[in-house]
């Protein structure tokens, strides 16, 4: 080796399609920026790539990824954009460990369940709109505008000015 390192892979909108091949990007152990947005990538999100400890910026929006968000995301991540995919499952509670996170975009997916209560002091941009999330917006996230949560018909509480009518449980 000559000591050179790959720090960024930026291939937005270049017509990539299909699943991300195994044993490729995860070998880039100094990768800080991964931008594969606006392609036709599909299959599960590659947890072995998303957990690279060097990874800071992740842009995978506007693809056809499905499956769950891996719980083993890099703790160094500053920005995560997984919007406009077909991602299912819950928002992993491990998001609360991403203490460097400034931006989290998960809008326009098929995420379900409750929003975990993550209180991230650096988080400035949050968009969870147009999923299938339910329950109340956690207190720490109520500082974000209603637009961060719109399009989740089963979500209620501040900052949303509504609460879905949930029938009482049978006694």
């Amino acid at each position: 080796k000559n000591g050179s390192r790959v720090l960024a892979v930026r291939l937005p909108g270049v017509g990539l399609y299909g699943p991300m091949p195994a044993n490729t990007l995860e070998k880039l152990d100094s990768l800080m920026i991964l931008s594969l947005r606006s392609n036709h990538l599909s299959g599960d999100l590659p947890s072995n790539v998303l957990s690279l400890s060097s990874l800071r910026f992740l842009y995978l929006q506007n693809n056809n990824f499905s499956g769950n968000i891996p719980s083993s995301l890099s703790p160094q991540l500053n920005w995560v954009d997984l919007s406009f995919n077909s991602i299912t499952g819950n928002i992993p509670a491990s998001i609360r460990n991403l203490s460097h996170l400034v931006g989290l975009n998960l809008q326009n997916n098929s995420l379900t369940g409750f929003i975990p209560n993550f209180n991230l002091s650096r988080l400035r941009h949050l968009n969870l709109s147009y999923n299938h999330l339910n329950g109340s917006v956690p207190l720490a996230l109520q500082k974000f505008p209603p637009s961060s949560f719109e399009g989740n018909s089963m979500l209620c509480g501040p900052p949303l000015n509504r609460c879905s009518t949930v029938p009482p449980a049978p006694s």
Side-chain angles (χ1 to χ4, degrees), residues 4-8 27-33 52 54-55:
S4 60
R5 295 266 186 230
V6 175
L7 301 178
K27 293 184 176 172
L28 303 177
D29 59 4
S30 297
L31 189 67
M32 294 176 73
I33 302 168
L52 284 171
S54 56
L55 198 60

Side-chain angles (χ1 to χ4, degrees), residues 97-145:
N97 302 330
L98 305 182
S99 59
H100 300 281
L101 203 61
V102 174
L104 179 63
N105 286 350
L106 300 176
Q107 76 264 31
N108 292 80
N109 277 291
S110 295
L111 295 166
T112 54
F114 296 99
I115 300 172
N117 190 15
F118 47 91
N119 189 2
L120 300 172
S121 59
R122 298 184 184 184
L123 193 63
R124 296 289 172 265
H125 181 88
L126 177 69
N127 196 332
L128 305 177
S129 62
Y130 299 99
N131 279 287
H132 307 294
L133 300 167
N134 59 46
S136 299
V137 175
L139 189 61
L141 302 180
Q142 291 177 6
K143 63 184 179 187
F144 290 99

